[in-house]
């Protein structure tokens, strides 16, 4: 009998009413995107101080760190504890997929610098340029490495200085570090491979209602998805291949 693979999801965000009602919470959004049948996924609401016991880290095959409305450079207790746990997982050489806030946390833990995005926040569907030379053919990207990929962006911070051992895998017009990897076990993405149009539009409406953005900014954000979608299937494949240690056969 094949042993069941186990994954842990570190949720650095609370569920919005919309996500709860539509998907039953972010746990389901992530597991639908990155999970496969027969796997076991545990969620830890790290933003609320919920963490696995350190002795239990060993039993997981991989970890995912979600986005957050918090800044990865803050020193809240839960953020410092998360950094501590990430350091331990890194030392164990277990796989971690870092998304948005998670991408920045890994950069911070590894000695990089995170701060406010120099060219301002992003809330939209955007294209990132893949650094093909940095990706080994036949790795989790497969043999066909795309020139660009479309991804939903929702952030106001960025990785300003990369950790020394990191490789930039993608950049964009506004950001030098859209995606990076360290060794074979850390893979970090600034955008949101798990988001879809519905989730983006609901976030746009919410931040507009709260007065965080102006109407023009909200309209421009929605306009980016009028005639096109994110490359979700491709993101899903790449992230799953990374987490599961699969080398795709094209």
């Amino acid at each position: 009998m094949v042993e069941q693979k186990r994954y842990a999801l570190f949720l650095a965000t609370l569920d919005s009413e919309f996500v709860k009602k539509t998907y039953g919470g972010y746990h389901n959004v992530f597991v639908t995107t990155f999970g496969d049948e027969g796997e076991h996924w545990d969620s830890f609401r790290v933003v609320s101080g919920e963490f696995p016991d350190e002795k239990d880290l060993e039993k997981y095959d991989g970890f995912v760190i979600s986005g957050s409305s918090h800044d990865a450079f803050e020193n809240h207790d839960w953020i410092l504890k998360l950094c501590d746990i990430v350091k331990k997982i890194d030392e164990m050489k277990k796989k971690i997929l870092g998304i948005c806030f998670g991408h920045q946390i890994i950069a911070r833990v590894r000695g990089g610098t995170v701060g406010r995005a120099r060219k301002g926040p992003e809330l939209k569907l955007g294209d990132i340029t893949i650094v093909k030379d940095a990706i080994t053919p036949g790795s989790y990207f497969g043999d066909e490495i795309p020139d660009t990929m479309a991804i939903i962006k929702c952030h106001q911070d960025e990785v300003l200085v990369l950790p020394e051992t990191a490789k930039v895998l993608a950049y964009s017009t506004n950001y030098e570090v859209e995606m990076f990897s360290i060794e074979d076990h850390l893979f970090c993405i600034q955008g949101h491979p798990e988001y879809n149009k519905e989730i983006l539009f609901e976030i746009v409406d919410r931040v507009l209602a709260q007065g965080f953005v102006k109407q023009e900014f909200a309209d421009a954000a929605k306009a980016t998805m009028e005639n096109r979608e994110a490359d979700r299937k491709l993101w899903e494949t790449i992230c799953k291949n990374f987490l599961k240690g699969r080398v795709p056969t094209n």
Side-chain angles (χ1 to χ4, degrees):
M1 199 175 127
V2 181
E3 202 180 322
Q4 190 181 39
K5 287 212 161 202
R6 297 180 75 101
Y7 294 92
L9 171 60
F10 291 163
L11 288 167
T13 184
L14 298 171
D15 291 332
S16 67
E17 284 309 312
F18 168 78
V19 164
K20 257 192 278 200
K21 203 169 72 204
T22 315
Y23 305 102
Y26 273 120
H27 171 89
N28 293 344
V29 172
F30 278 92
V31 177
T32 306
T33 311
F34 304 129
D36 283 311
E37 214 172 307
E39 293 171 348
H40 181 88
W41 283 73
D42 289 326
S43 271
F44 297 92
R45 189 78 63 175
V46 295
V47 70
S48 306
E50 195 183 301
F51 288 89
D53 273 340
E54 280 174 31
K55 65 178 188 329
D56 291 335
L57 296 175
E58 194 50 64
K59 69 182 184 188
Y60 293 105
D61 294 285
F63 299 81
V64 178
I65 309 172
S66 81
S68 180
S69 56
H70 290 269
D71 301 317
F73 50 83
E74 288 174 352
N75 289 321
H76 297 310
D77 286 351
W78 72 270
I79 291 179
L80 296 178
K81 175 142 194 199
L82 178 62
C83 287
D84 193 43
I85 290 230
V86 167
K87 200 165 178 238
K88 289 186 170 68
I89 299 168
D90 178 21
E91 282 161 5
M92 295 160 90
K93 300 277 187 247
K94 285 192 175 273
K95 289 185 180 276
I96 313 178
L97 171 63
I99 292 167
C100 200
F101 170 86
H103 150 103
Q104 295 161 9
I105 283 287
I106 291 171
R108 173 181 176 169
V109 167
R110 271 305 197 106
T113 310
V114 180
R116 279 281 177 265
R118 290 163 289 197
K119 293 192 175 171
E122 268 191 330
L123 191 55
K124 64 176 194 177
L125 178 70
D127 292 303
I128 65 174
T129 304
I130 308 298
V131 184
K132 290 186 162 186
D133 296 353
I135 296 162
T136 317
S139 69
Y140 41 90
F141 275 82
D143 291 324
E144 293 288 316
I145 301 167
D147 293 317
T148 62
M149 286 177 74
I151 192 166
I152 291 174
K153 311 285 294 300
C154 177
H155 66 110
Q156 60 174 1
D157 299 338
E158 67 171 322
V159 174
L160 300 169
V161 181
L162 261 185
E164 268 177 33
T165 47
K167 268 197 313 194
V168 175
L169 303 180
Y171 61 91
S172 66
T173 325
N174 286 348
Y175 304 95
E176 287 164 25
V177 186
E178 287 284 3
M179 183 159 64
F180 73 90
S181 65
I182 298 177
E183 295 164 41
D184 293 327
H185 65 288
L186 303 176
F187 181 45
C188 305
I189 305 165
Q190 179 58 70
H192 285 272
E194 81 287 10
Y195 277 6
N196 58 24
K197 185 175 179 172
E198 280 185 317
I199 292 174
L200 173 71
F201 278 28
E202 193 271 333
I203 291 169
V204 171
D205 290 341
R206 195 156 21 104
V207 294
L208 178 65
Q210 290 166 334
F212 292 134
V213 299
K214 295 208 158 47
Q215 188 68 52
E216 305 84 86
F217 188 87
D219 293 344
K222 288 185 174 182
T224 60
M225 290 201 81
E226 241 163 53
N227 304 311
R228 55 194 296 247
E229 293 282 337
D231 291 319
R232 287 198 52 179
K233 272 281 160 258
L234 188 50
W235 282 114
E236 204 174 283
T237 304
I238 292 167
C239 293
K240 280 185 178 185
N241 287 344
F242 162 74
L243 273 176
K244 288 131 210 233
R246 292 198 290 241
V247 176
T249 48
N250 288 357

